[in-house]
Amino acid sequence: MTGLIFKEIKATTYQRADIDRGYAGQTLAVDLGTPEIQTVPVTDEMKTRFIGGKGFDLWLLWQAVTGSTRWDDPENAICIACGPMGGTPAYPGSGKSIVTTISPLTKTVIDSNVGGYFGPYLKFSGFDALKITGKAQKDTIVFIDGLEKKIELLTVDGLSDNAYEIAGALTDHFGRGKPGHISVVCTGPGARHTFFGCLNFTWYDAKRKRARYKQAGRGGIGTVFADKGLAAVVVRWDRVPLDVNHPADPEAARAVGKQYSKEIVALDPKQNEMARVGTTHLVPIMNDYDCLPVNNFRYGQHPRADLIGRDVYQHLFDPGFDGCWKGCTVACSHGVKDFVPLTGPFKGQAVFVDGPEYETIAGCGSNLGIFDPFTILEINFYCDNYGLDTISVGTSIAFVMECFEMGLIDQRQSGGLSLSFGQRDSALELVHQMGRGEGFGKIVGQGVRRMKKIFADEFGADPGILEDIGMESKGLEFSEYMTKESLAQQGGYGLALKGPQHDEAWLIFLDMVHNLMPTFEQKADNLHWFPMWRTWFSLCGLCKLPWNDIVPEDNKDTTEPARVMKHIQWYAEYFSAVTGRKSTPDDLVVMSEAVYNFQRIFNLRMGFGRREHDTLPYRAMGPVTVEEYESRRKRYDTQLEEIHGVDITGREAAEKVALLRKFREAQYEKLKGVVYQRRGWTKDGIPTVATVKKLGIDFPEVLEVLKENGVTA
Amino acid sequence: MIQVDGKAVPWRKDMTVTALIRALGETYDYPAVRINNRIVSRPHFDQTTVPDGATVYLIPLVAGG
């Protein structure tokens, strides 16, 4: 690649052992400040207690920071890990990297689970996890060359600011003619100018001959990355045979992987068609069930939703294999080729768009009142290119659009932009402003929580209504499901460790559609089991989609179809075969429970992690405005009368809104208490000493944090 | 005839999705079906008729994010 000037500032060689039972046996620590490069052995205790992936990340992050570390302090670490199961092409969904850091949005731990080649290549290069601390003085690339067993820190001049150009240039340069041997982690200019910068992880698409992207989107990890002066992290590796993890029982590992892959190939075309349409199938279904966020989560349905769903994108996606990891039969990472943006620096040029997925469609489409699939593609493309999280971008713009429509802000504050719902040009302009760090986009890029304060303090907006309609919890913007009618999903969002992201507990369908958990105790049981189980994927370097997006034909006849226990049995067999640690499905859940509780205590250490932090804006629980109430009046009237025993005769809508609110807020508070009890936590939401002892995470520093917070038993 | 999950099933005039599922003897609460490459969710089962010769898939689980 011409025009790039690299200068080595530090380099070291290292020893690389063969992968043994899924583990490389060491981690890599890079301090950009000193600079320093160290390899650190992985202990048996780490494997036993933290398993790998997010567990290793959390342990490394815990050691790197203190309770007073801010997101932009040099000691804050970005940790990236795969996991013992990650990296084989023999098992579907085995290419995940898990990233953690202290978030600029939530000021505590954030984690993100992302596809692409990086995590597996990192492990095969000799490292179960990578920890990056410090700050570089000049744009720096960390290059991990697993083939040469060499690590280099390089400054670089001449590198583009745009994420796609960064990935392309570095893949060409470091690939030495073999681009499939490279994975790049990078962000874009928006990460420097906002608090919700994402990380792009590449995978190489041999058919289309290009580096493609998956995103570690949530919580501003890209912002931390940019703040550290990182231009990119690049890893180089080559062969990935089926038994690359050197499992304890290769035959058993191969057998269970084969049957899983075979089942997906046979059943996905009959079920959700992930390999053909990805998650776009969710758009019409969520819309039909009143769960698709529309106009800042005011509503769950819109008559034009069909224009931005599966029926349209199936014709726009470029057909072909779209697996973000080798051998994955789900292969859901679809994209659109030769898309021509109408705005921005790529205006008029044909580009490839990685996506969109459901969250981007709902967040940057219906939730903005935009039902044009091409505008969504353009926002998707520029968010990736600028290094912005599409979920936070969508939810933040939705918030300012509603504020604008309510008259809480106007064109004096928005820099002249008209921001009513459906204003495609204004939405795109805000994205560009976030990329450039200019105008009103710079305020929007601070996220919903900071905007609420700015709008109240500086623009004189009513703080009460801002709290009600600003869709964030713990500082993180909501992902894209409309939860008003599902108390369990309210818990799924409000009780999630990192904030309202759906990866912990997506219970909305089981609760609202299937009515599988009518009692508080049943909700609490599911709000215990599902987050614990789903955490396990991130410990192992796995994707959750193969678990329940394609299910066995006889799954519906089992006692708990939502848990897809046959697959969990396969995961237990597979884990046992790879690691040699004989495990049952219940054992997998307990593994997660230890890490999950550790993360809750980590939040506590950072000044969060109590009942008061598990709050939700009222928009997540019920109708804030009379207009919302009236749009579903029959439903709400019936609930007031039949569930709450209220005589609604002669009552004004505003009065009914207030009454319903009282009941729903009380329900949510009650739910929190029941869930805490089920999880073995105090009434204030803190794990008890007995719980951490039972889970084997009663390290002295953990007990010290509990003691400092008044928990001694 | 129609094809349901790859099996031939007799078609009846004005057969709704609800009637089809009942005729199959299914008691499971399918959240959605796919008829000729178009998704129909349960709220529309009563109003949606299945055309003759249709290819139908019963979608067992919608798993979300």
Side-chain angles (χ1 to χ4, degrees), chain A residues 298-315:
Chain A
R298 275 187 196 165
Y299 312 114
Q301 213 162 51
H302 196 283
R304 295 169 69 205
D306 276 352
L307 299 175
I308 56 170
R310 165 191 184 281
D311 288 351
V312 172
Y313 285 109
Q314 67 177 321
H315 300 298

Side-chain angles (χ1 to χ4, degrees), chain A residues 525-594:
Chain A
D525 191 49
N526 285 297
L527 282 164
H528 176 72
W529 190 88
F530 277 94
M532 302 311 156
W533 163 242
R534 292 173 74 123
T535 294
W536 187 79
F537 293 104
S538 284
L539 306 185
C540 293
L542 298 176
C543 173
K544 87 92 201 168
L545 296 179
W547 160 53
N548 67 351
D549 278 276
I550 301 100
V551 298
E553 283 184 305
D554 60 357
N555 185 62
K556 65 185 172 62
D557 303 319
T558 62
T559 53
E560 295 178 292
R563 297 189 180 189
V564 200
M565 290 307 296
K566 185 174 176 183
H567 282 177
I568 296 181
Q569 178 60 40
W570 285 356
Y571 281 112
E573 289 170 19
Y574 185 49
F575 183 85
S576 305
V578 173
T579 65
R581 182 174 164 179
K582 296 288 175 205
S583 302
T584 66
D586 287 344
D587 295 333
L588 307 187
V589 173
V590 173
M591 289 173 199
S592 296
E593 198 173 355

Side-chain angles (χ1 to χ4, degrees), chain A residues 332-389:
Chain A
C332 60
S333 304
H334 304 302
V336 175
K337 74 171 179 181
D338 295 335
F339 174 72
V340 181
L342 298 175
T343 65
F346 289 83
K347 179 181 176 180
Q349 298 176 41
V351 298
F352 194 96
V353 186
D354 281 294
E357 298 182 15
Y358 167 80
E359 297 290 333
T360 303
I361 296 170
C364 301
S366 60
N367 213 17
L368 306 184
I370 292 172
F371 296 92
D372 166 22
F374 300 102
T375 301
I376 295 166
L377 278 172
E378 191 154 340
I379 295 175
N380 186 147
F381 172 76
Y382 278 116
C383 283
D384 294 351
N385 201 50
Y386 294 147
L388 298 170
D389 170 24

